[in-house]
DNA sequence: AATGCTCCAGCTGAGC
DNA sequence: GCTCAGCTGGAGCATT
């Protein structure tokens, strides 16, 4: 007993507790940092929630993303069936899905995107460039020349946005979150263009 | 003490506990019912998750919906700026938002939807009907004649889906959830058309 | 098309949604009821949180209870080892646990409670009765004659409490929750007898 | 436009996203570390859940602790009233609370702990030492000479445990978590000394 | 600003 | 052995 060789157990216990507490503290600190960052984002005029959404998406694995999108497609199909499609037409994926014959169901890796046939990567790049040009020439973002379902449509969008982001304005208006002008919660001018009641 | 007028307190206590337990039990029972329902849905070949999504949306208040959509718009704008728009072009709302002049920011209730100018409720109804006809004539869902951004586009979609839902097939293929054909999780043929790994 | 035999799918979809919404609504209603009940309890002068605790305990299975208590014992032993035992001496179970020889660990169902040897159910009943008598004779609840670790101690407690509950006062003082006399959160007279800041 | 001074907005956006992702990653890493630690604890023969409990307690503010203990007291009183006191006699605080006159309710900072009158810090220290001595002399932990309610009781416990922790055994048996010897869930020898079904 | 509630993710025990 | 449902703890949100 002179040299209690295992007050060690108690020491270990103490050490475990210390380590646990330290780890929890670090986690808490990170929470603080994240909050600070969100504040900074808000202060900069951007929308933290939207950014978080993007971060979450980027964190998804391929299969998670697939599942999520797949579910969303089905939801859209159901909405259409129920007559709930309210100004948000079917997405491309849902559209493509509906156009399949029953027996070519999933698995069967057929051409997939039905129409665009001959669209190449260059076409895409071209569309992007054209979006930039169109912006420079004063066309509006609503004047995308490509039809929905055409992959070039998104590319043109990107080009237009890219150009619009480098035009000298400090923050493009649409990027900014509108001022918190406490909108009367009783009349959200429902359905028109709401703007936020920032907390949901 | 013959008539302890307030063993009542203890009785009350007991009663409170009983009531609480009963309520909690009922809640638990409902959880069970919901699970059963989901099983039934799955058994019927529909996707419970997608249905839940719809239910949730329908439960939203106008302002919640507004906020959610608004956040999504901004996220899309950010994605465009980052070059992440991957085949999913800008939604109408985001597009409309980007087309505004900085000074007509939100609040100012100007015409809102920019272009469609003269589109009336009748036009919408007509588009819906045309969707039904087009389905009957064998056109594909991808052949929606209306341009994105045009509200008639969604109406046509609805019409097409409504018609396609009453054509005699028992469950339209696209409604069904594909068989659980254990997709190799290593190769979700990412981006193509995944189908689900239903649990996510 | 005259007799779309399977607008049934859409009908089913609609029905599923209805049922889901109904179930969720019922659940929500129950939440409301529970809240009302808590309000009622508070209004009656009892402590809803404490009651919830009891309800939760009663809902536990034997094995859950066993596990919970076992964990608590170990926590107590650890606390003792760390010198954290702050006026809350070791519980009986922990005490009993510490007194075992290593090799008679658990499983081995030996006499278990070490000392009380000859205490019978009648002794317990007697102790309970004595608690009632002692209350009637004006003894204080702190004057429990049984030593800790003796099962009769709890029985006496129960008897005393039972008697004290039927003495004509409408709600025994200790049952009541003290008025919300906004205690200065800066000086909770920490450690003495705090009373609540009810939310925690 | 030669030096688009505010592709800066997009750059900022990118930066915000990077920072957010980094912070979230660090948090996730910490979760991993915590899990590793728990595994280590388990491997060492100690009970992670019990340790977590201690860590949580230590993290509590004074007022949180006060509230928690207060609620527990009331729960005990209610249990007593309901005849649920199952071998776990009233705690000191509850006992003290019950012994008050209605009008000296809380707030009024009267002597509080009723009896112990003259017990000093030295008495406490003495009791602790005596616990150590008693352990050395072979007394059992159940032979605590102090009556429940007496603060020296806990001190003696601590002393006894401290001594028992340095006696040369590597891990005192009671510290260890028993092996996972799949206890028959039908007969947890409920109420005796259960040992764990570790997860609850 | 603080607290209570709701939702979600991560973990744990059961079942094929 | 792996997946699945259930649960518990934490984070976000609404409210006062």
């Amino acid at each position: 007993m002179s040299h209690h060789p295992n007050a060690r157990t108690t020491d270990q216990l103490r050490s475990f507790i210390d380590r646990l507490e330290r780890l929890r503290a670090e986690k808490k600190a990170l929470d603080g940092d994240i909050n600070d960052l969100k504040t900074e984002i808000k202060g900069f005029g951007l929308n933290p929630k939207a950014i978080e959404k993007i971060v979450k998406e980027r964190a998804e694995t391929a299969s998670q993303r697939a599942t999520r999108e797949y579910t969303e497609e089905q939801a859209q199909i159901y909405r259409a069936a129920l007559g709930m499609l309210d100004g948000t037409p079917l997405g491309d994926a849902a559209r493509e899905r509906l156009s399949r014959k029953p027996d070519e169901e999933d698995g069967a890796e057929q051409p997939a995107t039905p129409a665009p046939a001959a669209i190449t990567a260059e076409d895409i790049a071209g569309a992007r460039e054209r979006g930039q040009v169109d912006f420079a020439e004063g066309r509006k973002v609503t004047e995308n020349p490509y039809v929905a379902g055409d992959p070039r449509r998104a590319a043109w969008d990107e080009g237009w946005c890219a150009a619009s982001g480098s035009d000298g304005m400090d923050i493009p208006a649409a990027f900014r979150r509108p001022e918190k002008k406490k909108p009367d919660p009783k009349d959200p001018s429902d359905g028109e263009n709401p703007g936020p009641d920032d907390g949901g």
Side-chain angles (χ1 to χ4, degrees), chain A residues 5-173:
Chain A
N6 81 323
R8 304 247 10 192
T9 296
T10 297
D11 284 351
Q12 267 294 357
L13 181 54
R14 223 181 290 276
S15 147
F16 286 143
I17 290 177
D18 283 348
R19 286 164 67 191
L20 231 189
E21 283 179 342
R22 177 176 200 96
L23 290 172
R24 286 170 78 114
E26 288 178 33
K27 240 179 113 179
K28 199 135 219 217
L30 282 176
D31 280 338
D33 292 349
I34 288 177
N35 265 3
D36 291 350
L37 180 53
K38 281 189 190 166
T39 306
E40 193 182 339
I41 289 173
K42 219 182 285 182
F44 190 77
L46 297 178
N47 186 340
K49 284 233 187 89
I51 291 183
E52 271 228 318
K53 244 189 133 172
I54 291 179
V55 168
K56 260 189 192 165
E57 275 173 27
R58 283 167 51 111
E60 282 175 336
T61 72
S63 118
Q64 283 170 326
R65 180 189 178 93
T67 307
R68 176 174 55 77
E69 286 176 350
Y70 174 76
T71 302
E72 175 52 27
E73 285 160 38
Q74 290 217 310
Q76 266 187 297
I77 294 173
Y78 297 169
R79 275 183 219 113
L82 297 167
M84 290 172 62
L85 230 46
D86 212 35
T88 321
L90 245 34
D92 300 343
R95 195 174 298 277
E96 186 264 330
R97 190 166 174 70
L98 273 169
S99 77
R100 304 233 205 109
K101 297 285 170 298
D103 49 285
E104 25 173 305
E105 256 311 304
D106 270 329
E109 295 302 353
Q110 92 288 32
T113 22
I119 293 189
T120 69
E122 277 138 43
D123 293 326
I124 302 282
R128 196 169 191 288
E129 200 165 340
R130 180 162 169 193
Q132 294 176 306
V133 172
D134 282 352
F135 170 79
E137 293 179 352
R139 304 198 112 167
K140 294 194 287 186
V141 69
T142 49
E143 300 181 70
N144 190 321
Y146 301 102
V147 163
D150 185 330
R152 291 169 299 181
R153 183 171 177 88
W156 187 94
D157 281 339
E158 281 191 11
W160 194 97
C161 283
S164 95
S166 47
D167 61 351
M169 300 187 298
D170 218 356
I171 297 191

Side-chain angles (χ1 to χ4, degrees), chain A residues 172-193:
Chain A
F175 274 45
R176 266 184 278 131
R177 337 175 49 222
E179 313 293 323
K180 269 247 179 178
K181 51 172 76 132
K182 288 236 174 195
D184 182 356
K186 263 65 200 159
D187 171 29
S189 38
D190 181 23
E192 278 310 284
N193 41 311

